[in-house]
Every structure is written in structure tokens, then in C-alpha cells.
């Protein structure tokens, strides 16, 4: 059942992202690399105690692969008693001048499994969907949602976290 939900969600989001890229073939998007920081808000709980939703911070970075609609991203969500460190690969689709939507996946490594982070309390696969835009010279605003699959110890609950921040483009 969980695989069916994951597959349906993936197909729905992929079709939206891909159609946005096709519809906006004339737009430039943004292909810059950046590092940024902001807020991370956990929206879920595993229901087992000591795993309630957490508010914390995020540090995120993007390396745009040259001549490809793909980026390598890194994200650290901290708050609670541990941090979730995530390498992520995304497909990036331009939707307006200096603006992309992105969709991808990776893995969340919790620094101290069993302890709270904004994205659960154990290592887990992660799916992300977000938007980024260059709002002024070398300043990127970003926001995304991360979905940690089976991200709580002693529970089969998934975790969801929302991030927003500003980055420096280099």
C-alpha cells in the first residue's frame, strides 16, 4: 500500500514538473549554484513520544550540472536533538525568468537515530518538491517540502517538513 501511494505521488508530481518544463521552453529559469539558510518546520509526528514535530533551521546548497536539467543538492535540517543530512538529486524545470521548480529524491541520514529532527528520527529515503528564484543579483529565495518515507523509529509513519530560506548565488 505504501509503495502504491509513493508511486502515485511520484507520477502525479513528475507529470506536473515535466509539463511545466515543456510549457515554459522559452523561459530562462536559473542555473546558478548557491548555498543558503533558513527555517525548517516539521509537520508530522511518529506517535511514539519524543518524536513530535520540530521547528528548526536548514542549510541547503545546489550545484547545477552543466548542460543538464539536473542538480545535486545538499540539505541539513536541524532542531530538536539531532540533524538530518541529505544528499539529493533533482530534476529542474524553468517556469519563469530566473525561476525553477524542482523534484527529486535522496536519503536522510539522522546524526543520532531516535532523536528528533524536523524530518523524523531515523534514516530514510526522501522525496522533495520545491521552487527557487533569483530575487536580486546573487540572491536566491527557495522553498521546498521534504517527505521522509518511514522516517520514525518504532513507527511506520512518514515525516513531512517545509523549508524556506535565502541563498547566495556563486
Amino acid at each position: 500500500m505504501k509503495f502504491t501511494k509513493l508511486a502515485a505521488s511520484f507520477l502525479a508530481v513528475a507529470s506536473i514538473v515535466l509539463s511545466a518544463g515543456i510549457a515554459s521552453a522559452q523561459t530562462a529559469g536559473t542555473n546558478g549554484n548557491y548555498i543558503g539558510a533558513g527555517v525548517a518546520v516539521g509537520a508530522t509526528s511518529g506517535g511514539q513520544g519524543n518524536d513530535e514535530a520540530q521547528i528548526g533551521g536548514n542549510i541547503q546548497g545546489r550545484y547545477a550540472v552543466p548542460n543538464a536539467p539536473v542538480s545535486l543538492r545538499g540539505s541539513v535540517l536541524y532542531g530538536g536533538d539531532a540533524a538530518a543530512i541529505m544528499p539529493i538529486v533533482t530534476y529542474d524545470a524553468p517556469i519563469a525568468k530566473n525561476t525553477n521548480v524542482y523534484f527529486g529524491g535522496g536519503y536522510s541520514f539522522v546524526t543520532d537515530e531516535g532523536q528528533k529532527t524536523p524530518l523524523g528520527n531515523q534514516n530514510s529515503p526522501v522525496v522533495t518538491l520545491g521552487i527557487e528564484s533569483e530575487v536580486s543579483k546573487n540572491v536566491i529565495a527557495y522553498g521546498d517540502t521534504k517527505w521522509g518515507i518511514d522516517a520514525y523509529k518504532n513507527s511506520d509513519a512518514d515525516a513531512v517538513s517545509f523549508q524556506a530560506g535565502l541563498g547566495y548565488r556563486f
Side-chain angles (χ1 to χ4, degrees):
M1 181 72 166
K2 187 174 279 208
F3 178 75
T4 304
K5 287 181 189 178
L6 176 61
S9 297
F10 175 80
L11 290 174
V13 172
S15 66
I16 292 167
V17 170
L18 291 174
S19 65
I22 292 167
S24 61
Q26 293 82 17
T27 61
T30 183
N31 64 354
N33 304 319
Y34 65 86
I35 182 119
V39 65
V41 178
T44 56
S45 169
Q48 300 296 314
N50 196 32
D51 61 3
E52 62 273 357
Q54 293 294 301
I55 296 176
N58 77 70
I59 300 170
Q60 296 195 152
R62 174 189 186 217
Y63 172 75
V65 176
N67 303 315
V70 177
S71 292
L72 305 175
R73 297 173 187 268
S75 184
V76 176
L77 305 183
Y78 57 90
D81 302 320
I85 302 168
M86 290 162 268
I88 297 173
V89 177
T90 61
Y91 173 82
D92 309 329
I95 59 168
K97 183 179 180 189
N98 297 326
T99 304
N100 295 334
V101 293
Y102 56 89
F103 173 73
Y107 202 80
S108 172
F109 298 94
V110 174
T111 57
D112 189 3
E113 278 197 297
Q115 300 301 312
K116 302 178 268 193
T117 77
L119 193 67
N121 64 6
Q122 76 174 0
N123 299 343
S124 66
V126 173
V127 176
T128 189
L129 174 65
I131 188 166
E132 59 200 358
S133 184
E134 188 167 359
V135 293
S136 67
K137 183 176 176 156
N138 296 330
V139 177
I140 303 281
Y142 64 88
D144 66 23
T145 300
K146 289 185 175 42
W147 172 26
I149 301 165
D150 193 22
Y152 291 100
K153 277 189 166 240
N154 304 319
S155 172
D156 63 353
D158 295 342
V160 175
S161 181
F162 302 101
Q163 290 67 233
L166 293 175
Y168 174 74
R169 181 176 183 214
F170 55 91

